[in-house]
Amino acid sequence: MVRSELELAKTEAKAEVAKAGKGAGMLGGAAVAGYFTLLFLSLFVMYLLGEGMDLQWAALIVFVVWAIIAAVLAVLGRSRLKTVDPSLERTQKTLKEDVQWAKNQK
């Protein structure tokens, strides 16, 4: 009976992993498409600005805007990562409680 349950769990896990893989692939494709969208939007803005000034200055302006966005995102992401606590305190607490409960059952 336990073996059949394990086989069922393996089968279900494989199906879920396959679904997750397809979803991750689609997200990867969306990321690439988003990258190209931003690239061509940046080029459009650069050429639009180039109508009123030298194209080199327009490219520099677009570059500076993206550099500022990258810097702000880097600072925010770094500060957010510093708040991550990988110790999993609640899980450790419940596992200790489970061990204590199992000891009391004997």
Side-chain angles (χ1 to χ4, degrees):
M1 180 133 164
V2 173
R3 289 182 192 188
S4 64
E5 290 295 326
L6 285 175
E7 285 300 316
L8 178 61
K10 285 181 186 178
T11 303
E12 287 179 333
K14 285 180 184 178
E16 291 302 312
V17 166
K19 285 196 301 191
K22 289 177 185 176
M26 289 179 187
L27 284 176
V32 170
Y35 168 77
F36 282 114
T37 300
L38 287 176
L39 174 69
F40 286 109
L41 177 65
S42 297
L43 288 172
F44 170 74
V45 170
M46 183 183 75
Y47 282 108
L48 190 65
L49 289 172
E51 293 291 321
M53 63 181 72
D54 287 338
L55 194 57
Q56 293 87 354
W57 288 110
L60 182 63
I61 290 170
V62 171
F63 164 76
V64 168
V65 168
W66 278 114
I68 291 169
I69 291 170
V72 168
L73 288 174
V75 168
L76 292 174
R78 187 172 181 206
S79 66
R80 182 87 39 105
L81 283 175
K82 285 183 178 181
T83 65
V84 173
D85 182 16
S87 65
L88 304 174
E89 290 178 18
R90 286 181 24 200
T91 302
Q92 288 178 4
K93 182 180 176 186
T94 57
L95 284 175
K96 287 177 184 176
E97 289 172 358
D98 291 347
V99 168
Q100 189 62 36
W101 177 82
K103 287 180 180 178
N104 291 336
Q105 294 300 312
K106 290 184 178 182

XYZ file of all heavy atoms in Angstrom:
809
model
N 0.828 -1.188 0.000
C 0.000 0.000 0.000
C 0.875 1.255 0.000
O 0.586 2.206 -0.715
C -0.896 -0.023 1.232
C -1.782 1.167 1.325
S -3.417 0.631 1.693
C -4.143 2.106 2.219
N 1.925 1.245 0.814
C 2.816 2.403 0.876
C 3.507 2.599 -0.464
O 3.657 3.729 -0.933
C 3.845 2.227 2.015
C 4.883 3.314 1.988
C 3.136 2.195 3.363
N 3.907 1.495 -1.102
C 4.578 1.597 -2.403
C 3.664 2.181 -3.457
O 4.096 2.976 -4.280
C 5.073 0.223 -2.839
C 6.230 -0.260 -2.016
C 6.734 -1.582 -2.489
N 7.661 -2.114 -1.488
C 8.375 -3.169 -1.661
N 8.278 -3.866 -2.778
N 9.199 -3.575 -0.722
N 2.405 1.796 -3.444
C 1.478 2.355 -4.427
C 1.262 3.846 -4.183
O 1.136 4.628 -5.128
C 0.144 1.612 -4.395
O -0.489 1.782 -3.147
N 1.258 4.249 -2.928
C 1.132 5.676 -2.613
C 2.363 6.446 -3.092
O 2.244 7.549 -3.613
C 0.943 5.883 -1.106
C -0.394 5.427 -0.582
C -1.557 6.237 -1.132
O -1.384 7.450 -1.370
O -2.626 5.651 -1.326
N 3.542 5.827 -2.921
C 4.758 6.475 -3.392
C 4.766 6.601 -4.913
O 5.182 7.625 -5.452
C 5.991 5.698 -2.917
C 6.344 5.853 -1.443
C 7.503 4.926 -1.078
C 6.709 7.288 -1.130
N 4.318 5.563 -5.601
C 4.245 5.617 -7.066
C 3.268 6.700 -7.525
O 3.529 7.428 -8.480
C 3.838 4.253 -7.637
C 4.938 3.234 -7.618
C 6.146 3.679 -8.428
O 5.982 4.206 -9.548
O 7.270 3.507 -7.918
N 2.127 6.791 -6.843
C 1.153 7.834 -7.169
C 1.767 9.212 -6.944
O 1.612 10.121 -7.762
C -0.107 7.665 -6.319
C -1.198 8.720 -6.515
C -1.697 8.721 -7.954
C -2.333 8.477 -5.546
N 2.489 9.378 -5.845
C 3.127 10.664 -5.552
C 4.163 11.009 -6.620
O 4.251 12.155 -7.062
C 3.770 10.620 -4.176
N 4.943 10.008 -7.056
C 5.938 10.242 -8.099
C 5.268 10.665 -9.401
O 5.724 11.591 -10.073
C 6.769 8.975 -8.343
C 7.783 8.680 -7.275
C 8.552 7.416 -7.645
C 9.494 6.985 -6.541
N 10.205 5.744 -6.883
N 4.194 9.984 -9.764
C 3.484 10.294 -10.998
C 2.915 11.706 -10.953
O 3.034 12.469 -11.911
C 2.350 9.275 -11.234
O 2.910 7.960 -11.250
C 1.639 9.537 -12.539
N 2.300 12.050 -9.835
C 1.743 13.394 -9.693
C 2.844 14.455 -9.707
O 2.685 15.512 -10.320
C 0.940 13.509 -8.399
C -0.382 12.791 -8.448
C -1.157 12.907 -7.147
O -0.520 13.079 -6.083
O -2.389 12.828 -7.206
N 3.961 14.158 -9.057
C 5.065 15.113 -9.021
C 5.626 15.340 -10.419
O 5.920 16.479 -10.797
C 6.160 14.623 -8.079
N 5.766 14.268 -11.207
C 6.272 14.411 -12.569
C 5.343 15.277 -13.408
O 5.790 16.118 -14.183
C 6.435 13.038 -13.222
C 7.632 12.273 -12.736
C 7.733 10.922 -13.428
C 8.878 10.102 -12.872
N 8.950 8.769 -13.500
N 4.048 15.073 -13.272
C 3.085 15.870 -14.026
C 3.160 17.342 -13.632
O 3.128 18.237 -14.490
C 1.673 15.334 -13.809
N 3.289 17.599 -12.344
C 3.370 18.982 -11.867
C 4.671 19.644 -12.314
O 4.679 20.819 -12.672
C 3.225 19.047 -10.351
C 1.835 18.692 -9.860
C 0.750 19.574 -10.438
O 0.911 20.817 -10.429
O -0.257 19.026 -10.916
N 5.764 18.886 -12.302
C 7.051 19.434 -12.745
C 6.983 19.767 -14.232
O 7.511 20.798 -14.672
C 8.205 18.452 -12.440
C 9.475 18.827 -13.174
C 8.453 18.398 -10.943
N 6.334 18.923 -15.013
C 6.195 19.193 -16.443
C 5.394 20.479 -16.672
O 5.761 21.310 -17.516
C 5.518 18.016 -17.141
N 4.294 20.643 -15.917
C 3.508 21.875 -16.045
C 4.325 23.090 -15.637
O 4.273 24.135 -16.283
C 2.237 21.800 -15.204
C 1.164 20.914 -15.791
C -0.201 21.135 -15.183
C -0.262 20.917 -13.711
N -1.626 20.880 -13.173
N 5.094 22.953 -14.558
C 5.912 24.066 -14.081
C 6.989 24.412 -15.113
O 7.281 25.588 -15.338
C 6.550 23.723 -12.743
N 7.564 23.410 -15.742
C 8.583 23.645 -16.763
C 8.035 24.403 -17.951
O 8.670 25.328 -18.468
N 6.841 24.026 -18.399
C 6.217 24.732 -19.516
C 5.914 26.178 -19.136
O 6.131 27.106 -19.914
C 4.944 24.019 -19.945
C 5.199 22.702 -20.647
C 3.899 22.004 -20.996
C 4.178 20.633 -21.589
N 2.937 19.896 -21.859
N 5.423 26.373 -17.923
C 5.130 27.727 -17.458
C 6.393 28.564 -17.356
O 6.408 29.736 -17.738
N 7.475 27.967 -16.850
C 8.742 28.684 -16.744
C 9.281 29.044 -18.123
O 9.818 30.142 -18.323
C 9.762 27.843 -15.983
N 9.123 28.143 -19.078
C 9.549 28.437 -20.451
C 8.774 29.601 -21.041
O 9.341 30.465 -21.722
N 7.481 29.628 -20.770
C 6.669 30.745 -21.266
C 7.069 32.058 -20.605
O 7.108 33.107 -21.257
C 5.194 30.454 -21.027
C 4.640 29.385 -21.910
S 2.909 29.097 -21.541
C 2.598 27.677 -22.548
N 7.375 32.006 -19.321
C 7.833 33.219 -18.633
C 9.177 33.682 -19.196
O 9.412 34.885 -19.333
C 7.952 32.978 -17.130
C 6.650 32.952 -16.355
C 6.898 32.597 -14.891
C 5.937 34.280 -16.451
N 10.045 32.738 -19.521
C 11.316 33.097 -20.147
C 11.102 33.765 -21.498
O 11.753 34.771 -21.818
N 10.191 33.223 -22.289
C 9.859 33.840 -23.575
C 9.274 35.232 -23.406
O 9.588 36.155 -24.165
N 8.445 35.397 -22.385
C 7.868 36.712 -22.114
C 8.951 37.705 -21.701
O 8.907 38.879 -22.069
C 6.808 36.611 -21.023
N 9.947 37.227 -20.945
C 11.049 38.107 -20.537
C 11.848 38.571 -21.751
O 12.206 39.749 -21.851
C 11.952 37.391 -19.540
N 12.114 37.669 -22.686
C 12.847 38.040 -23.894
C 12.024 39.037 -24.708
O 12.555 40.050 -25.191
C 13.199 36.786 -24.724
C 13.737 37.158 -26.090
C 14.203 35.923 -23.984
N 10.740 38.770 -24.867
C 9.876 39.689 -25.611
C 9.810 41.054 -24.929
O 9.833 42.096 -25.592
C 8.476 39.096 -25.754
N 9.750 41.061 -23.599
C 9.740 42.320 -22.860
C 11.035 43.086 -23.042
O 11.024 44.322 -23.173
N 12.141 42.369 -23.062
C 13.440 43.005 -23.291
C 13.456 43.711 -24.640
O 13.853 44.878 -24.749
C 14.565 41.970 -23.204
C 15.891 42.494 -23.701
C 16.655 43.344 -22.913
C 16.368 42.164 -24.961
C 17.864 43.845 -23.361
C 17.564 42.661 -25.424
C 18.307 43.501 -24.628
O 19.503 43.995 -25.091
N 13.032 42.997 -25.689
C 13.029 43.608 -27.014
C 12.030 44.759 -27.102
O 12.273 45.747 -27.799
C 12.754 42.557 -28.099
C 13.961 41.724 -28.411
C 13.970 40.377 -28.127
C 15.087 42.288 -28.983
C 15.086 39.609 -28.401
C 16.208 41.532 -29.266
C 16.207 40.182 -28.980
N 10.928 44.661 -26.385
C 9.962 45.755 -26.353
C 10.608 47.014 -25.784
O 10.481 48.104 -26.357
C 8.739 45.354 -25.511
O 8.128 44.203 -26.102
C 7.734 46.471 -25.435
N 11.295 46.871 -24.661
C 11.968 48.026 -24.066
C 13.095 48.548 -24.953
O 13.300 49.759 -25.058
C 12.512 47.671 -22.685
C 11.473 47.527 -21.589
C 12.138 47.081 -20.288
C 10.736 48.829 -21.373
N 13.806 47.647 -25.614
C 14.883 48.051 -26.502
C 14.357 48.920 -27.640
O 14.862 50.015 -27.901
C 15.611 46.822 -27.056
C 16.676 47.100 -28.113
C 17.873 47.805 -27.474
C 17.103 45.814 -28.780
N 13.300 48.435 -28.300
C 12.781 49.186 -29.439
C 12.027 50.443 -29.012
O 12.037 51.443 -29.730
C 11.924 48.282 -30.329
C 12.763 47.332 -31.134
C 12.769 45.984 -30.854
C 13.580 47.796 -32.158
C 13.560 45.109 -31.575
C 14.374 46.941 -32.887
C 14.374 45.584 -32.602
N 11.431 50.415 -27.833
C 10.818 51.636 -27.310
C 11.900 52.678 -27.018
O 11.725 53.865 -27.318
C 10.019 51.338 -26.041
C 9.381 52.550 -25.364
C 8.323 53.170 -26.273
C 8.775 52.149 -24.031
N 13.022 52.234 -26.484
C 14.136 53.142 -26.221
C 14.677 53.732 -27.523
O 14.981 54.933 -27.596
C 15.255 52.419 -25.477
O 14.802 51.984 -24.227
N 14.799 52.895 -28.538
C 15.252 53.402 -29.840
C 14.261 54.403 -30.412
O 14.654 55.433 -30.976
C 15.466 52.240 -30.813
C 16.674 51.357 -30.546
C 16.654 50.129 -31.454
C 17.961 52.145 -30.730
N 12.972 54.128 -30.261
C 11.944 55.048 -30.741
C 12.064 56.397 -30.045
O 12.042 57.450 -30.689
C 10.552 54.449 -30.505
C 9.435 55.413 -30.737
C 9.082 55.783 -32.025
C 8.746 55.964 -29.665
C 8.055 56.680 -32.238
C 7.720 56.862 -29.878
C 7.371 57.226 -31.165
N 12.212 56.368 -28.714
C 12.345 57.619 -27.953
C 13.619 58.341 -28.361
O 13.627 59.576 -28.523
C 12.319 57.333 -26.435
C 12.696 58.568 -25.635
C 10.953 56.828 -26.018
N 14.693 57.604 -28.585
C 15.950 58.211 -28.994
C 15.800 58.934 -30.332
O 16.203 60.090 -30.479
C 17.037 57.144 -29.104
C 18.409 57.690 -29.455
S 19.637 56.394 -29.654
C 19.169 55.734 -31.245
N 15.179 58.272 -31.294
C 14.999 58.910 -32.600
C 13.981 60.043 -32.540
O 14.104 61.028 -33.264
C 14.606 57.880 -33.661
C 15.794 57.088 -34.141
C 15.959 55.767 -33.791
C 16.767 57.684 -34.943
C 17.059 55.039 -34.222
C 17.872 56.977 -35.376
C 18.008 55.651 -35.017
O 19.102 54.949 -35.448
N 12.992 59.914 -31.653
C 12.029 60.991 -31.473
C 12.729 62.229 -30.908
O 12.507 63.348 -31.390
C 10.904 60.532 -30.551
C 9.686 61.426 -30.426
C 8.958 61.499 -31.763
C 8.752 60.892 -29.363
N 13.569 62.039 -29.906
C 14.343 63.152 -29.364
C 15.340 63.677 -30.402
O 15.660 64.869 -30.426
C 15.099 62.722 -28.101
C 14.271 62.475 -26.854
C 15.143 61.866 -25.762
C 13.625 63.755 -26.375
N 15.814 62.784 -31.250
C 16.773 63.162 -32.288
C 16.204 64.119 -33.314
O 16.960 64.768 -34.044
N 14.884 64.218 -33.376
C 14.268 65.178 -34.285
C 14.543 66.614 -33.847
O 14.588 67.519 -34.670
C 12.750 64.950 -34.368
C 12.344 63.657 -35.018
C 12.656 63.631 -36.505
O 12.474 64.663 -37.183
O 13.086 62.556 -36.988
N 14.716 66.822 -32.549
C 14.915 68.168 -32.041
C 16.344 68.463 -31.627
O 16.656 69.597 -31.260
N 17.216 67.467 -31.646
C 18.613 67.658 -31.226
C 19.474 66.647 -31.945
O 18.972 65.790 -32.674
C 18.738 67.493 -29.703
C 18.388 66.101 -29.203
S 18.497 65.882 -27.432
C 17.106 66.808 -26.864
N 20.770 66.731 -31.738
C 21.668 65.734 -32.321
C 21.323 64.353 -31.770
O 20.974 64.186 -30.596
C 23.123 66.054 -31.982
C 23.654 67.250 -32.765
O 23.083 67.550 -33.826
O 24.629 67.870 -32.289
N 21.433 63.366 -32.641
C 21.085 62.001 -32.260
C 21.975 61.487 -31.132
O 21.524 60.724 -30.280
C 21.175 61.080 -33.479
C 20.544 59.708 -33.357
C 19.063 59.812 -33.003
C 20.713 58.918 -34.636
N 23.225 61.921 -31.080
C 24.132 61.486 -30.021
C 23.635 61.943 -28.657
O 23.701 61.195 -27.674
C 25.551 62.023 -30.257
C 26.238 61.437 -31.461
C 25.901 62.210 -32.747
O 25.077 63.119 -32.769
N 26.548 61.828 -33.838
N 23.147 63.175 -28.576
C 22.618 63.685 -27.311
C 21.343 62.947 -26.924
O 21.112 62.657 -25.749
C 22.366 65.189 -27.379
C 23.630 65.971 -27.381
C 24.155 66.678 -28.425
C 24.545 66.108 -26.304
N 25.347 67.252 -28.070
C 25.614 66.920 -26.757
C 24.595 65.628 -25.002
C 26.689 67.252 -25.951
C 25.670 65.971 -24.206
C 26.706 66.768 -24.676
N 20.525 62.655 -27.910
C 19.294 61.913 -27.635
C 19.626 60.523 -27.085
O 19.001 60.052 -26.125
C 18.454 61.798 -28.903
N 20.624 59.856 -27.679
C 21.041 58.537 -27.199
C 21.587 58.634 -25.781
O 21.305 57.775 -24.934
C 22.096 57.949 -28.141
N 22.334 59.691 -25.497
C 22.876 59.879 -24.158
C 21.758 60.088 -23.138
O 21.801 59.543 -22.029
C 23.851 61.056 -24.139
C 24.535 61.327 -22.806
C 25.400 60.133 -22.404
C 25.362 62.600 -22.883
N 20.742 60.843 -23.499
C 19.607 61.079 -22.594
C 18.894 59.769 -22.273
O 18.599 59.464 -21.109
C 18.638 62.114 -23.195
C 19.284 63.502 -23.187
C 17.310 62.132 -22.438
C 18.517 64.537 -23.966
N 18.635 58.962 -23.296
C 17.971 57.672 -23.084
C 18.841 56.770 -22.221
O 18.352 56.106 -21.297
C 17.620 57.007 -24.437
C 17.125 55.591 -24.239
C 16.579 57.845 -25.175
N 20.132 56.778 -22.472
C 21.067 55.985 -21.673
C 21.026 56.413 -20.213
O 20.962 55.575 -19.308
C 22.484 56.133 -22.235
C 23.546 55.670 -21.282
C 23.778 54.312 -21.087
C 24.298 56.586 -20.556
C 24.755 53.885 -20.199
C 25.270 56.166 -19.670
C 25.500 54.813 -19.489
N 21.065 57.708 -19.949
C 21.072 58.213 -18.578
C 19.773 57.839 -17.864
O 19.794 57.436 -16.694
C 21.324 59.739 -18.552
C 21.044 60.330 -17.190
C 22.748 60.039 -18.989
N 18.647 57.940 -18.554
C 17.365 57.560 -17.942
C 17.385 56.093 -17.538
O 17.014 55.734 -16.413
C 16.187 57.859 -18.899
C 14.906 57.211 -18.410
C 16.000 59.358 -19.056
N 17.867 55.211 -18.431
C 17.934 53.783 -18.105
C 18.943 53.501 -17.005
O 18.732 52.616 -16.168
C 18.241 52.944 -19.339
C 17.028 52.666 -20.150
C 16.773 53.106 -21.405
C 15.880 51.912 -19.751
N 15.538 52.666 -21.814
C 14.972 51.929 -20.822
C 15.533 51.220 -18.596
C 13.743 51.279 -20.776
C 14.300 50.578 -18.551
C 13.425 50.612 -19.624
N 20.033 54.248 -16.966
C 21.029 54.067 -15.906
C 20.444 54.450 -14.550
O 20.691 53.765 -13.547
C 22.273 54.894 -16.212
N 19.665 55.523 -14.509
C 19.020 55.936 -13.260
C 18.020 54.879 -12.805
O 17.977 54.507 -11.634
C 18.354 57.314 -13.419
C 19.420 58.398 -13.570
C 17.425 57.623 -12.247
C 18.877 59.751 -13.994
N 17.222 54.357 -13.751
C 16.252 53.308 -13.411
C 16.976 52.077 -12.864
O 16.566 51.495 -11.855
C 15.383 52.956 -14.639
C 14.449 54.118 -14.983
C 14.588 51.673 -14.403
C 13.728 53.967 -16.302
N 18.077 51.677 -13.516
C 18.838 50.512 -13.066
C 19.411 50.730 -11.675
O 19.377 49.828 -10.825
C 19.954 50.202 -14.062
N 19.929 51.921 -11.421
C 20.509 52.203 -10.110
C 19.452 52.168 -9.015
O 19.672 51.596 -7.946
C 21.203 53.565 -10.139
N 18.298 52.766 -9.266
C 17.222 52.768 -8.275
C 16.755 51.337 -7.995
O 16.592 50.935 -6.837
C 16.045 53.653 -8.740
C 14.813 53.449 -7.880
C 16.460 55.122 -8.738
N 16.561 50.545 -9.042
C 16.134 49.155 -8.864
C 17.191 48.340 -8.120
O 16.848 47.489 -7.285
C 15.810 48.512 -10.210
C 14.527 48.987 -10.878
C 14.404 48.385 -12.274
C 13.315 48.648 -10.037
N 18.466 48.593 -8.393
C 19.538 47.865 -7.707
C 19.542 48.194 -6.217
O 19.668 47.295 -5.377
C 20.884 48.199 -8.337
N 19.385 49.474 -5.884
C 19.383 49.868 -4.478
C 18.164 49.283 -3.761
O 18.272 48.740 -2.655
C 19.416 51.410 -4.352
C 19.126 51.857 -2.932
C 20.765 51.931 -4.806
N 16.994 49.374 -4.394
C 15.786 48.823 -3.782
C 15.876 47.305 -3.632
O 15.501 46.756 -2.591
C 14.549 49.200 -4.606
C 14.163 50.677 -4.601
C 13.012 50.923 -5.565
C 13.801 51.138 -3.212
N 16.372 46.627 -4.655
C 16.506 45.171 -4.593
C 17.492 44.737 -3.533
O 17.252 43.767 -2.805
N 18.594 45.452 -3.422
C 19.602 45.112 -2.407
C 19.047 45.294 -1.005
O 19.236 44.446 -0.126
C 20.837 45.964 -2.609
C 21.970 45.575 -1.717
C 23.222 46.316 -2.087
N 24.299 45.874 -1.213
C 25.336 46.592 -0.908
N 25.462 47.798 -1.422
N 26.258 46.132 -0.114
N 18.327 46.381 -0.785
C 17.756 46.599 0.550
C 16.679 45.562 0.854
O 16.538 45.114 1.996
C 17.194 48.011 0.675
O 16.084 48.191 -0.176
N 15.935 45.145 -0.141
C 14.917 44.116 0.064
C 15.557 42.780 0.374
O 15.079 42.020 1.205
C 14.045 44.045 -1.192
C 12.910 43.098 -1.204
C 11.577 43.540 -0.645
N 11.079 44.845 -0.856
C 10.097 45.177 -1.693
N 9.571 44.277 -2.466
N 9.658 46.396 -1.761
N 16.674 42.453 -0.305
C 17.369 41.195 -0.048
C 17.983 41.153 1.339
O 18.113 40.083 1.931
C 18.454 40.958 -1.104
C 17.971 40.475 -2.461
C 19.125 40.406 -3.440
C 17.290 39.127 -2.343
N 18.374 42.303 1.872
C 18.951 42.330 3.217
C 17.924 41.966 4.280
O 18.293 41.572 5.377
C 19.539 43.709 3.510
C 20.838 43.960 2.793
C 21.413 45.303 3.171
C 22.741 45.525 2.481
N 23.336 46.822 2.842
N 16.639 42.084 3.967
C 15.600 41.757 4.948
C 15.214 40.286 4.932
O 14.427 39.851 5.766
C 14.330 42.597 4.692
O 13.771 42.234 3.422
C 14.635 44.086 4.725
N 15.773 39.505 4.008
C 15.441 38.086 3.907
C 16.069 37.324 5.067
O 17.243 37.500 5.383
C 15.930 37.508 2.559
C 15.740 36.007 2.514
C 15.206 38.172 1.411
N 15.274 36.475 5.700
C 15.753 35.660 6.818
C 15.661 34.189 6.408
O 14.582 33.601 6.430
C 14.913 35.913 8.067
C 15.397 35.131 9.265
O 16.532 34.638 9.235
O 14.626 35.023 10.233
N 16.798 33.587 6.005
C 16.760 32.210 5.518
C 16.691 31.154 6.614
O 16.735 29.971 6.317
C 18.075 32.093 4.737
C 18.995 33.025 5.431
C 18.121 34.173 5.909
N 16.565 31.543 7.869
C 16.618 30.559 8.946
C 15.324 29.751 9.089
O 15.322 28.727 9.750
C 16.939 31.250 10.269
O 15.883 32.118 10.633
N 14.227 30.208 8.502
C 12.941 29.500 8.559
C 12.549 29.184 10.008
O 12.334 28.031 10.384
C 12.988 28.220 7.729
C 13.384 28.372 6.254
C 13.520 27.020 5.616
C 12.401 29.229 5.508
N 12.455 30.204 10.803
C 12.216 30.030 12.235
C 10.916 29.285 12.535
O 10.886 28.419 13.409
C 12.207 31.397 12.917
C 13.568 32.047 12.963
C 13.534 33.424 13.597
O 12.553 33.738 14.304
O 14.493 34.175 13.393
N 9.848 29.614 11.828
C 8.569 28.938 12.102
C 8.660 27.451 11.795
O 8.144 26.619 12.546
C 7.445 29.574 11.286
C 7.034 30.916 11.842
C 5.925 31.600 11.111
N 5.047 30.743 10.345
C 4.285 31.175 9.358
N 4.312 32.428 9.005
N 3.488 30.352 8.713
N 9.327 27.105 10.694
C 9.469 25.694 10.334
C 10.311 24.967 11.371
O 9.970 23.849 11.782
C 10.110 25.564 8.940
O 9.301 26.257 7.997
C 10.255 24.114 8.539
N 11.396 25.584 11.802
C 12.230 24.954 12.827
C 11.435 24.747 14.108
O 11.547 23.696 14.749
C 13.460 25.827 13.109
C 14.479 25.822 12.013
C 15.649 26.737 12.314
O 15.740 27.333 13.374
N 16.571 26.848 11.363
N 10.631 25.730 14.473
C 9.835 25.623 15.699
C 8.831 24.472 15.603
O 8.707 23.663 16.515
C 9.109 26.938 15.964
C 8.297 26.934 17.230
C 7.594 28.257 17.433
C 6.698 28.194 18.659
N 5.898 29.412 18.822
N 8.132 24.392 14.464
C 7.137 23.323 14.331
C 7.804 21.957 14.259
O 7.257 20.978 14.763
C 6.235 23.542 13.105
O 7.048 23.621 11.933
C 5.395 24.794 13.261
N 8.986 21.871 13.641
C 9.696 20.591 13.603
C 10.128 20.167 15.004
O 10.016 18.992 15.361
C 10.917 20.679 12.681
C 10.630 20.643 11.184
C 11.908 20.867 10.400
C 9.982 19.333 10.792
N 10.590 21.112 15.798
C 10.963 20.794 17.183
C 9.744 20.331 17.971
O 9.824 19.393 18.773
C 11.612 22.001 17.849
C 13.005 22.283 17.346
C 13.587 23.534 17.982
C 14.951 23.842 17.388
N 15.508 25.103 17.913
N 8.607 20.975 17.738
C 7.374 20.562 18.410
C 6.971 19.157 17.980
O 6.530 18.353 18.806
C 6.254 21.548 18.105
C 6.423 22.904 18.768
C 5.393 23.917 18.293
O 4.563 23.586 17.421
O 5.426 25.055 18.791
N 7.142 18.847 16.687
C 6.815 17.505 16.192
C 7.723 16.455 16.818
O 7.262 15.367 17.183
C 6.927 17.453 14.666
C 5.849 18.253 13.964
O 4.869 18.637 14.647
O 5.982 18.499 12.756
N 9.007 16.757 16.935
C 9.938 15.818 17.563
C 9.560 15.604 19.012
O 9.539 14.466 19.499
C 11.395 16.338 17.423
C 12.345 15.543 18.307
C 11.845 16.288 15.980
N 9.238 16.674 19.712
C 8.837 16.559 21.109
C 7.558 15.732 21.240
O 7.425 14.889 22.131
C 8.638 17.968 21.706
C 8.435 17.958 23.200
C 9.642 17.407 23.945
O 10.782 17.621 23.562
N 9.392 16.674 25.007
N 6.603 15.974 20.339
C 5.354 15.214 20.369
C 5.641 13.728 20.148
O 5.067 12.863 20.833
C 4.414 15.737 19.286
C 3.145 14.973 19.195
C 2.018 15.113 19.954
C 2.875 13.891 18.287
N 1.067 14.216 19.562
C 1.566 13.443 18.546
C 3.600 13.283 17.269
C 0.977 12.408 17.840
C 3.010 12.250 16.569
C 1.719 11.824 16.856
N 6.531 13.406 19.169
C 6.852 12.012 18.892
C 7.543 11.350 20.074
O 7.274 10.175 20.385
C 7.746 11.933 17.648
N 8.395 12.083 20.767
C 9.053 11.530 21.959
C 8.047 11.231 23.055
O 8.167 10.247 23.772
C 10.123 12.497 22.484
C 11.356 12.552 21.638
C 12.373 13.544 22.224
C 13.613 13.625 21.390
N 14.572 14.609 21.902
N 7.063 12.111 23.190
C 6.037 11.911 24.228
C 5.114 10.740 23.913
O 4.474 10.205 24.801
C 5.213 13.186 24.415
C 6.026 14.300 25.053
O 7.011 14.057 25.734
N 5.610 15.533 24.793
N 5.037 10.343 22.650
C 4.163 9.225 22.255
C 4.745 7.876 22.670
O 4.017 6.911 22.759
C 3.915 9.255 20.745
C 3.135 10.458 20.279
C 1.764 10.545 20.923
O 1.034 9.573 20.973
N 1.415 11.738 21.421
N 6.032 7.811 22.903
C 6.673 6.531 23.246
C 6.448 6.136 24.671
O 6.199 6.717 25.586
C 8.177 6.608 22.960
C 8.452 6.659 21.502
C 9.953 6.637 21.261
C 10.232 6.639 19.772
N 11.625 6.577 19.494
